[in-house]
């Protein structure tokens, strides 16, 4: 009886232990995927302060890893590592690669690293292949938004295994994140380190709640996706192909052209002081104040109001 009671207790305790996202994968040991990154950062979807030059809107190369739940490249509401900081701020991958390699050596949590070429405009595609393992079915990656202070898009620990099989295809809309290491508000902000460092946060149409924020669109409920990633499982007959899977051009154009137009209202400065009263003595004169355009409207946004205003006055210093 004592042995039986002890056995039941041990089994009950074991069943109550937390189970990682990847611990129940019973699919075939290895699977290969094509990963396609599509930039949707257009001037139509994101008209505010859209970078047209020095440098124009573009995407860095992609750096990703397939891993188990023992490893995390980055996580929302947690502090970015030194490697993620360097990548998000400067696009430098060396420290992040070193962090990935060290995690793989210490706890065997990493199966492989993958990368894809940069995109020289805000819209376009890049692709590569990745391999997942039944003990390492999670995918994480980062792509830097260029130009930006420390903004990026990416995926944190997406599980491609569903019990006894691998997912055939999965698409995820991507939204901007702030690495929490630089305090700039705009795409072209100068380097201004965040001290103390903040956690990784999602940038939304209302957060940071500041009109200077390049993604600040207070009339929207949510930002349109700035990018999308699609992972397609390769059939065994496709393995070893030198050319990666890429969506047909027609489908790609449909994706980019279907982005909704984001209206941008005109923004104007405060009124200047009233000018001098002009007119004849002992008769009503006029004085004028002016303001100027801070932000031109776009995509049927609210047009600019009058930039000057006139009112009556009594001329001063009349003899």
């Amino acid at each position: 009886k004592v042995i039986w009671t002890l056995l039941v207790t041990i089994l009950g305790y074991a069943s109550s232990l937390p189970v990682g996202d990847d611990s129940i994968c019973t699919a075939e040991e290895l699977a290969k995927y094509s990963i396609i990154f599509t930039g949707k950062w257009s001037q139509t979807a994101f008209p505010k302060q859209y970078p047209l030059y020095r440098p124009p809107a573009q995407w860095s190369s992609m750096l990703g890893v397939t891993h188990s739940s023992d490893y995390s490249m980055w996580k929302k509401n947690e502090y970015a590592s030194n490697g993620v900081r360097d990548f998000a701020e400067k696009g430098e991958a060396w420290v992040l690669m070193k962090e990935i390699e060290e995690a793989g050596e210490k706890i065997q949590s990493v199966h492989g690293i993958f990368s894809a070429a940069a995109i020289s405009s805000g819209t376009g595609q890049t692709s590569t292949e990745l391999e997942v393992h039944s003990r390492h079915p999670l995918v994480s990656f980062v792509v830097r938004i260029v130009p930006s202070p420390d903004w990026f898009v990416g995926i944190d620990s997406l599980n491609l295994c569903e019990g006894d099989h691998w997912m055939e295809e999965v698409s995820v809309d991507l939204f901007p994140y702030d690495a929490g290491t630089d305090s700039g508000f705009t795409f072209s902000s100068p380097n201004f380190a965040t001290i103390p460092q903040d956690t990784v946060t999602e940038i939304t149409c209302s957060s940071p709640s500041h009109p200077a924020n390049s993604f600040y669109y207070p009339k929207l409920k949510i930002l349109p996706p700035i990018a999308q990633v699609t992972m397609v499982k390769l059939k065994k007959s496709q393995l070893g192909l030198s050319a990666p899977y890429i969506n047909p051009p027609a489908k790609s154009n449909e994706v980019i052209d279907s982005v909704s137009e984001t209206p941008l209202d005109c923004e104007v400065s405060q009124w200047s002081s009233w000018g001098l009263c002009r007119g004849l003595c002992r008769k009503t004169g006029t004085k004028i104040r002016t303001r100027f355009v801070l932000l031109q409207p776009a995509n049927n946004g609210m047009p600019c109001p009058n930039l000057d205003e006139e009112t009556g006055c009594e001329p001063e210093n009349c003899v």
Side-chain angles (χ1 to χ4, degrees):
K1 284 185 177 181
V2 173
I3 294 174
W4 176 252
T5 302
L6 182 61
L7 181 60
V8 169
T9 302
I10 292 171
L11 290 174
Y13 172 75
S15 65
S16 68
L17 291 174
V19 178
D21 289 340
D22 54 336
S23 61
I24 56 173
C25 182
T26 57
E28 59 181 333
E29 194 171 65
L30 294 174
K32 273 195 174 183
Y33 283 82
S34 172
I35 179 169
I36 308 101
F37 177 89
T38 303
K40 294 188 174 184
W41 185 17
S42 68
Q43 192 170 10
T44 302
F46 299 91
K48 186 174 183 181
Q49 303 168 3
Y50 188 79
L52 295 173
Y53 52 88
R54 297 184 182 178
Q58 56 191 277
W59 299 96
S60 77
S61 57
M62 172 193 290
L63 180 60
V65 60
T66 56
H67 59 96
S68 70
S69 59
D70 295 323
Y71 171 78
S72 176
M73 174 183 268
W74 66 275
K75 200 170 287 294
K76 183 179 177 180
N77 298 326
E78 294 188 6
Y79 293 105
S81 67
N82 291 335
V84 171
R85 178 200 63 203
D86 285 359
F87 192 88
E89 289 188 12
K90 298 173 284 188
E92 296 177 358
W94 188 86
V95 176
L96 183 53
M97 291 274 290
K98 195 71 176 172
E99 290 174 353
I100 295 171
E101 290 172 3
E102 287 176 356
E105 291 171 1
K106 288 180 181 178
I107 52 178
Q108 286 76 51
S109 58
V110 171
H111 179 71
I113 300 174
F114 59 90
S115 62
I119 303 175
S120 60
S121 63
T123 59
Q125 285 190 333
T126 186
S127 63
T128 188
E129 292 181 2
L130 61 88
E131 184 179 77
V132 284
H133 187 275
S134 57
R135 294 194 303 275
H136 305 86
L138 308 181
V139 176
S140 297
F141 72 82
V142 286
V143 179
R144 180 176 182 247
I145 298 173
V146 183
S148 75
D150 60 340
W151 302 342
F152 69 95
V153 297
I155 277 181
D156 165 38
S157 304
L158 176 66
N159 195 343
L160 293 178
C161 183
E162 290 185 316
D164 62 352
H165 67 280
W166 295 104
M167 298 173 69
E168 291 296 324
E169 181 173 343
V170 58
S171 291
V172 180
D173 287 334
L174 304 177
F175 299 90
Y177 280 89
D178 186 321
T181 61
D182 193 292
S183 297
F185 269 128
T186 66
F187 296 120
S188 57
S189 292
N191 184 34
F192 186 68
T194 301
I195 301 174
Q197 181 177 332
D198 203 352
T199 57
V200 174
T201 56
E202 184 175 351
I203 300 172
T204 71
C205 55
S206 57
S207 178
S209 182
H210 194 292
N213 177 18
S214 293
F215 287 111
Y216 186 69
Y217 296 95
K219 289 192 173 181
L220 295 181
K221 291 184 177 179
I222 59 170
L223 285 175
I226 196 171
Q228 184 184 63
V229 66
T230 300
M231 280 165 273
V232 181
K233 185 175 180 291
L234 297 176
K235 295 179 172 59
K236 289 187 177 180
S237 60
Q238 292 176 280
L239 299 183
L241 292 179
S242 58
Y245 174 94
I246 301 178
N247 285 345
K251 184 176 180 182
S252 170
N253 290 337
E254 286 173 12
V255 169
I256 295 171
D257 292 342
S258 66
V259 173
S260 60
E261 293 187 352
T262 300
L264 184 65
D265 295 341
C266 177
E267 292 183 13
V268 296
S269 67
Q270 298 293 321
W271 286 110
S272 68
S273 301
W274 287 104
L276 295 174
C277 185
R278 299 183 179 277
L280 300 175
C281 286
R282 291 179 291 281
K283 290 186 178 181
T284 302
T286 59
K287 59 183 179 180
I288 296 174
R289 63 178 181 175
T290 61
R291 56 188 173 183
F292 58 90
V293 176
L294 295 172
L295 194 64
Q296 292 287 352
N299 303 328
N300 298 315
M302 187 178 295
C304 294
N306 291 333
L307 299 179
D308 54 73
E309 190 174 66
E310 186 178 290
T311 189
C313 61
E314 294 292 332
E316 300 176 1
N317 300 324
C318 282
V319 178

